[in-house]
Amino acid sequence: MRLKFYELADAVDAQNNFEKFPNIELSGIEFDSRKIKVGDIFLPLKGERDGHDFIETAFENGAVVTLSEVEIENHPYILVEDCLAAFQKLAAFYIEKTQVEVVAVTGSNGKTTTKDMIDSVLSTTYKTYKTQGNYNNEIGLPYTILHMPDDTEKLVLEMGQDHMGDIHLLSDIAKPKIAVITLIGESHIEFFGSREKIAQGKMQIADGMHQGILVAPADKIINKFLPNDQEVVRFGPNEDIYIDNLVEHKDYLEFEVNFLDTKLIVPLPGKFNATNAMLAAYVGKVLGVKEHDIRSGLENIQLTKNRTEWLVASNGADILSDVYNANPTAMRLILETFQAIPENTDGAKAVVLADMKELGEESSKYHEQMITAIDPDKIDRLYLYGQEMEALVEYAKDIFPKGHLKFYRKDDEVDELDELINDVSNDLKANDQILLKGSNSMNLSKVVEKLL
């Protein structure tokens, strides 16, 4: 980041007399005083601790100015009413100052993978930067903007939502040229009340656009929320863009799309990842990436950690790990993918499913309904973990032989994660295949770590 002191003050509507401070060049911004480097702005946010308590430490570490909601002495500062709001204003200003082109991605499932794919495609042709990890909220998105390298040409931003209005705010900050919605599912339905409300929230990704392109699924639930002032491209069978001749392999996909002449190969399992790759390819085409570079970008994709990936256990068994998050749509898709893969010779198939969080009052129903996605003829052992998964046990015990279904409690009194880890580790043989899927807070990553 390259910014003058006066630009900072003007961008955040400084309420104090800042003209007495020198108009020095600022090089970065941090809300963790331990990460401050010489030339940085300090951002004192209020969380478990009040960041204002660390202003002195920030200056000791090299800060040259701080934002502040109170007047301070002995250091250059910019007085603002709300430090977080000022941070967001600064990010919006910086987007306008740099004129970087923004591609925004949201969706109930697949947004991080699609973001990574878009970045991989665009980076074959442009200087790109993307949301790091899961920095996709009201703090993470402006942080990403203000930390992009100075030579960035295309910025790929992931946008998440927990409540209505979250994505409106993020879109208003980022002003995307292209916005992509991967899927409307049930994530955070506890806070929205219905899938229609989730769709309404996701569609706010277009609110900050000016003469842009919105790429959205052919899902009727979004039709009444489509913007009238943007170009809208729909994807799905017989829509504006679609997949053709898809062939699924254990750890890669090959397919064609209607807007390119070349076949695409993606080193990931699951036909849902073919859709994500198609979206990335389309963004690349719109932004002038050549077909052979689109293909190369997808073949060499580097995913954010803990997304869907094949791993090899220490004993040689195959692990399909998808333990970062979970919702009913995502769980069904990964079960479909796993069950369609032929078993290894002399091997068995095992599945570990843990609770899906933030599904609200109908959580038990969503967990029960997973029984329709489970084929006992294709799964040899089923491990269920968590308070919500207990609802599925009552149905699964009717279709699995005794000893092939195991349940592990996790509630306020008991957590049987260690028992799950031990049983899975002992049961898994060298020729087996195992799928693990659950919300991040269920800590299935610990099972994966043990197997590795």
Side-chain angles (χ1 to χ4, degrees), residues 226-380:
L226 291 172
N228 297 319
D229 55 348
Q230 309 293 344
E231 180 182 350
V232 178
V233 174
R234 306 296 290 270
F235 65 88
N238 303 313
E239 294 291 337
D240 300 318
I241 59 175
Y242 56 85
I243 293 167
D244 204 4
N245 298 323
L246 170 64
V247 179
E248 292 189 73
H249 302 272
K250 173 191 164 187
D251 52 4
Y252 74 97
L253 305 162
E254 51 184 338
F255 59 95
E256 298 171 355
V257 292
N258 65 308
F259 53 88
L260 296 177
D261 293 327
T262 186
K263 178 185 288 185
L264 300 176
I265 298 175
V266 181
L268 296 171
K271 63 183 180 182
F272 52 91
N273 275 320
T275 299
N276 297 335
M278 174 188 68
L279 298 174
Y282 184 73
V283 171
K285 180 176 175 63
V286 169
L287 293 179
V289 179
K290 295 178 180 178
E291 288 198 11
H292 64 83
D293 288 327
I294 292 174
R295 179 182 173 117
S296 175
L298 292 174
E299 288 179 354
N300 295 287
I301 176 70
Q302 298 293 317
L303 292 184
T304 298
K305 186 179 179 182
N306 286 339
R307 267 52 187 187
T308 310
E309 57 182 340
W310 279 102
L311 303 168
V312 179
S314 59
N315 69 351
D318 291 326
I319 304 169
L320 183 54
S321 173
D322 192 358
V323 298
Y324 183 75
N325 58 24
N327 59 63
T329 300
M331 189 168 280
R332 285 180 177 278
L333 288 171
I334 198 67
L335 281 166
E336 178 184 344
T337 293
F338 184 69
Q339 292 172 152
I341 297 167
E343 289 185 13
N344 292 334
T345 303
D346 300 325
K349 278 195 167 184
V351 171
V352 180
L353 300 180
D355 286 355
M356 301 176 283
K357 297 296 188 178
E358 298 179 354
L359 295 180
E361 295 179 356
E362 296 191 324
S363 181
S364 292
K365 182 190 75 173
Y366 285 119
H367 284 80
E368 290 171 2
Q369 289 175 346
M370 279 302 117
I371 196 65
T372 62
I374 295 171
D375 185 347
D377 292 331
K378 296 180 179 178
I379 296 176
D380 300 290

